[in-house]
Amino acid sequence: MAVETKFVVVRKGVEKMTFASKKEADAHDKLLDMADAFTDWLLQSEMGMDETQAENLGLYLAEQKETVQHILRTNKLPDPAVVADKTESDAADAKKIRAVKAA
């Protein structure tokens, strides 16, 4: 009989995702913490967003953390070639995560 270790990210009592490694689970949990912080900040703003819009934008900003940091540092968009390389790498990582989640 095989023994498998799985790491599950749980938010507000709901299982969000399952990972094969603690490192991946911790990274996803950190991303969700950042998204929550962005969401709270957006809801406190005077932009008049509803909660769903704020959550979607908060998650997007957290997922695009490197691009946001680059823009804040340089006042410019990152080079599209660098973004494309990062996107391809993230897509490969996402396939691994989905495979673990399905298992």
Side-chain angles (χ1 to χ4, degrees):
M1 174 165 69
V3 176
E4 291 183 28
T5 302
K6 295 182 181 183
F7 298 88
V8 181
V9 176
V10 177
R11 293 294 227 184
K12 300 176 185 175
V14 177
E15 288 187 17
K16 293 295 183 178
M17 230 182 219
T18 302
F19 297 89
S21 76
K22 183 173 181 355
K23 181 180 176 182
E24 291 173 334
D26 286 341
H28 189 72
D29 189 49
K30 186 176 178 179
L31 176 110
L32 293 177
D33 285 341
M34 188 183 317
D36 286 344
F38 276 128
T39 299
D40 292 343
W41 177 60
L42 291 165
L43 288 172
Q44 292 172 5
S45 74
E46 296 178 11
M47 294 174 53
M49 276 188 195
D50 67 33
E51 191 168 347
T52 302
Q53 290 173 318
E55 286 175 354
N56 289 339
L57 183 55
L59 184 58
Y60 178 77
L61 290 171
E63 290 171 341
Q64 302 300 317
K65 172 183 149 183
E66 289 84 12
T67 301
V68 171
Q69 288 175 332
H70 180 84
I71 292 168
L72 290 171
R73 270 193 322 273
T74 66
N75 296 325
K76 297 178 183 175
L77 288 173
D79 181 14
V82 173
V83 173
D85 289 343
K86 175 85 172 112
T87 302
E88 289 172 9
S89 172
D90 289 348
D93 291 343
K95 284 182 183 177
K96 291 178 193 173
I97 291 169
R98 280 194 296 272
V100 170
K101 187 176 180 183

